[in-house]
Amino acid sequence: MIKLVVATNNAHKLDEIRAILGNKIELLSLKEIGHSGDIPETADTLEGNALMKARYIHERYGCDCFADDTGLEVEALNGEPGVYSARYAGEANDAEANMQKLLTRMEGKINRSAQFRTVIALIIEEKEYLFEGIVQGEILHERCEGEGFGYDPLFRPQGYDESFAQLGNEVKNRISHRARAVEKLNDFLESLR
Ligand code: IMP
């Protein structure tokens, strides 16, 4: 079985990825390989950050691994918050403050189109690969709470009547940006077998 380290400290994200990949691939957390502490992500693109995180772990532990980076890209805001989604309202990665800032920036905007975009950087057998997953939708006028995290209460995916948060993790894991990127990763890994 292919064994991969997931270069993230976000337990929520690891659960989502595990739910999507099932038991087909053995996934190890950073904790399981004895890594603690933050991984630098100072690039100005999702691709750059995903590669930076995967390389950081690969260089230190020599393992096959992957990292992802996600941004919410809002059309009327020229792609904001994008790569800065976590820190939109400040360094604290405070989801409430980030959503409030987004709602304020969207005041009076007719065009509510947005997309979540995930980029996964995989390093396997000393080669690097990138996979992208996108889900299109729109920014709601107010939070519609439920499960999930981050901007989920404010994002309604195309073709659905409820926010990601209201749809819940089971639906989200089938249709999300991360799910689509992880599915591409999965297809690639299957092709290696
Ligand atoms: P990351 O690169 O996956 O850590 O994502 C950066 C930021 O984007 C997070 O801190 C969240 O604010 C936001 N984000 C990423 N994925 C999601 C999601 O699935 N739902 C809502 N917000 C997300």
Side-chain angles (χ1 to χ4, degrees):
M1 200 194 289
I2 295 175
K3 209 190 234 191
L4 290 175
V5 174
V6 189
T8 180
N9 283 313
N10 181 337
H12 201 117
K13 198 186 282 183
L14 192 59
D15 286 347
E16 274 195 16
I17 294 170
R18 280 213 166 102
I20 297 162
L21 283 181
N23 312 321
K24 289 176 276 187
I25 288 150
E26 190 181 343
L27 296 178
L28 298 174
S29 66
L30 290 177
K31 207 167 156 193
E32 282 167 308
I33 61 165
H35 179 84
S36 60
D38 286 343
I39 305 174
E41 42 181 318
T42 52
D44 57 7
T45 61
L46 299 177
E47 288 77 4
N49 269 346
L51 276 169
M52 186 181 279
K53 289 186 274 189
R55 285 175 185 157
Y56 184 91
I57 293 303
H58 180 70
E59 278 160 17
R60 277 159 187 78
Y61 299 95
C63 51
D64 290 339
C65 64
F66 69 92
D68 76 332
D69 206 47
T70 295
L72 174 63
E73 300 174 331
V74 181
E75 206 170 274
L77 302 177
N78 299 317
E80 252 181 58
V83 71
Y84 305 108
S85 293
R87 295 160 278 157
Y88 199 32
E91 284 304 316
N93 191 3
D94 176 343
E96 278 307 311
N98 287 340
M99 284 193 286
Q100 192 47 54
K101 177 165 179 185
L102 180 59
L103 282 175
T104 304
R105 300 273 290 133
M106 289 300 284
E107 269 170 25
K109 303 268 193 245
I110 309 277
N111 178 4
R112 314 285 300 182
S113 298
Q115 63 180 27
F116 272 114
R117 190 163 73 90
T118 292
V119 175
I120 290 178
L122 168 71
I123 302 180
I124 190 165
E125 293 165 359
E126 309 305 324
K127 291 200 202 82
E128 295 178 339
Y129 304 88
L130 291 175
F131 306 92
E132 180 184 68
I134 289 175
V135 62
Q136 263 147 2
E138 64 167 34
I139 303 300
L140 298 167
H141 289 271
E142 57 187 38
R143 295 175 186 74
C144 294
E145 307 283 354
E147 296 177 44
F149 69 103
Y151 299 87
D152 280 346
L154 278 185
F155 183 82
R156 184 185 65 77
Q158 220 167 58
Y160 292 81
D161 294 328
E162 294 181 305
S163 71
F164 252 166
Q166 289 169 309
L167 288 169
N169 292 335
E170 207 187 309
V171 175
K172 184 183 168 193
N173 286 344
R174 271 192 277 120
I175 64 167
S176 79
H177 44 299
R178 194 168 299 105
R180 288 176 184 171
V182 173
E183 273 154 22
K184 285 189 193 166
L185 167 71
N186 186 46
D187 289 348
F188 174 77
L189 294 171
E190 297 248 331
S191 77
L192 293 182
R193 286 181 200 170

